[in-house]
Amino acid sequence: MKEVFYFFPESVDSPSTEATYTIRVARSVRKSCTVHIHGEMAWVLLFTRLLPFSHRLRGTTIFLLSLLLSYLCYCALFPEGNSLFPVQKSGDPMPSCQRADGAKRRLQKSISCLLPLDVRTSGGEASRPKTDQRPPSALHIVLNDTPSPPMSNLKFGNKKLPNAIIVGVKKGGTRAVLEFIRIHPDVRAAGTETHFFDRNYDRGLEWYRSLMPRTLESQITMEKTPSYFVTKETPHRISAMSQDTKLIVVVRDPVTRAISDYTQTLSKTPDLPSFQELAFRNQSLGIVDMSWNAIRIGLYALHLENWLRYFPLAQIHFVSGERLITDPAGELARVQDFLGLKRIVTDKHFYFNRTKGFPCLKKPESSGSPRCLGKSKGRTHVQIDRDAIEQLRDFYRPYNVRFYEMVGHDFKWE
């Protein structure tokens, strides 16, 4: 075994010599950990060298020597592989841990310095024979300068195209259905209306996908845009994306829906003409203006015919906007069944807000207040002349009957 304390001087005659001694000790520490030594030998050799002139050492030197003694003991206990100052031998492929050629190289080198020697050498030259056939780890990938995995893989889930879409109808209760169903742990939904299939289709499916929340494999991705139901091109476009997409349509008495639609528009445009002026071409003759959007949306049977060209009826679920108010748990139970979900959203999640005249979600344990829909939901409708309402009911009656027959359910709007 090699003697490692050969560098101690025989005597210290001056401050300059003492300083030189200290520097020599510091420089020689690197050698002290390259051989195996016993802790007892280190202590004996060190004190036999220091005792003859210890009365002449300064406080600073004593402090430094104390640190060196501690380090020597550490080297004795953890030889070779655990050295704090690894020496790069000639031909050793281990990268220097003292250089930093930019932020990326600094990251790579700092990671490599934490690896065992056999792992570091595995990223060496391709010409060297490979003796370690273990599969490469993530740290090998970093050391080999290959591209890092995308950040999306480091997060939970992936962004997927929607499995189910609430396609309509405006002022039917679509926001309520979305807010109620998204408390289910297996449902994730886009927060805002994307209007992809009616306004932004030219942006492409990848743009559409980017708007979706991250979901796990067991979760359903949803979005809602009520204008889809009355847009002619939408059924074909959704079918082109996926013929397996499940569709949800929230319907409501078309007369009440039209009045609600007008009330919302009036709140944004106070100088809007009266409801009767917009709804009728000639009210005295009972001629309804079918070109007005608020009237046209309520022609559910006409819009559904377009959808049935691309999707079977079994793939479309209809929610009653009226029952959504009186029995939200019952309607949500049917929605969960349609989506193939366990019935987790039940009546225990709801309470009726008498002020809004609408159900709200009960206060979650982590929240300080219950969750109700916004101010625009449940607002008081404008008063419409009773004769105008009866004329509209007569107008919608044949369309409603046709709609009941198509879906196999009587919504009792008469």
Side-chain angles (χ1 to χ4, degrees), residues 11 48 65 71 78 101 104 109 115 118 131 138 165 172 183 198 226 234 244 269-270 308 323 327 382 404:
S11 63
T48 56
L65 290 174
Y71 178 67
F78 307 96
D101 302 328
K104 181 178 179 181
K109 292 179 182 299
L115 296 174
D118 59 338
T131 58
I165 304 176
I183 67 176
D198 58 350
T234 299
D244 297 326
T269 313
L308 293 179
R323 284 201 305 267
D327 182 21
V382 297
Y404 300 161

Side-chain angles (χ1 to χ4, degrees), residues 12-14 18 52-58:
V12 178
D13 299 325
S14 65
E18 180 180 336
F53 50 87
S54 60
H55 64 285
R56 301 184 61 180
L57 295 176
R58 293 183 178 182

Side-chain angles (χ1 to χ4, degrees), residues 166-171 174 193 195 224-230:
I166 302 175
V167 297
V169 297
K170 181 183 179 184
K171 306 309 297 179
T174 56
E193 297 175 5
H195 286 280
K224 77 105 177 172
T225 302
S227 57
Y228 288 165
F229 188 66
V230 298

Side-chain angles (χ1 to χ4, degrees), residues 200-318:
N200 299 299
Y201 194 65
D202 58 336
R203 292 176 178 260
L205 285 175
E206 287 308 310
W207 177 86
Y208 184 47
R209 187 199 306 271
S210 70
L211 303 179
M212 298 299 115
R214 294 186 180 278
T215 52
L216 303 176
E217 287 298 323
S218 60
Q219 292 178 315
I220 291 177
T221 302
M222 292 185 64
E223 76 115 328
K224 77 105 177 172
T225 302
S227 57
Y228 288 165
F229 188 66
V230 298
T231 303
K232 183 178 180 180
E233 299 81 12
T234 299
H236 172 68
R237 291 172 176 177
I238 295 180
S239 175
M241 177 188 73
S242 173
Q243 294 183 344
D244 297 326
T245 305
K246 293 187 176 182
L247 309 171
I248 297 176
V249 186
V250 188
V251 291
R252 184 182 184 184
D253 180 346
V255 177
T256 308
R257 197 222 65 81
I259 296 173
S260 177
D261 197 341
Y262 174 79
T263 301
Q264 182 182 52
T265 307
L266 185 64
S267 66
K268 301 175 182 179
T269 313
D271 58 346
L272 197 68
S274 69
F275 179 84
Q276 288 88 329
E277 291 180 73
L278 296 172
F280 296 93
R281 290 183 178 179
N282 189 325
Q283 186 176 358
S284 60
L285 297 177
I287 302 176
V288 177
D289 188 353
M290 296 177 61
S291 65
W292 186 33
N293 198 49
I295 296 295
R296 187 176 63 88
I297 291 175
L299 303 174
Y300 304 140
L302 298 183
H303 303 304
L304 181 58
E305 288 177 354
N306 187 34
W307 285 87
L308 293 179
R309 294 189 182 101
Y310 301 93
F311 292 94
L313 186 62
Q315 217 163 303
I316 307 175
H317 178 71
F318 297 91

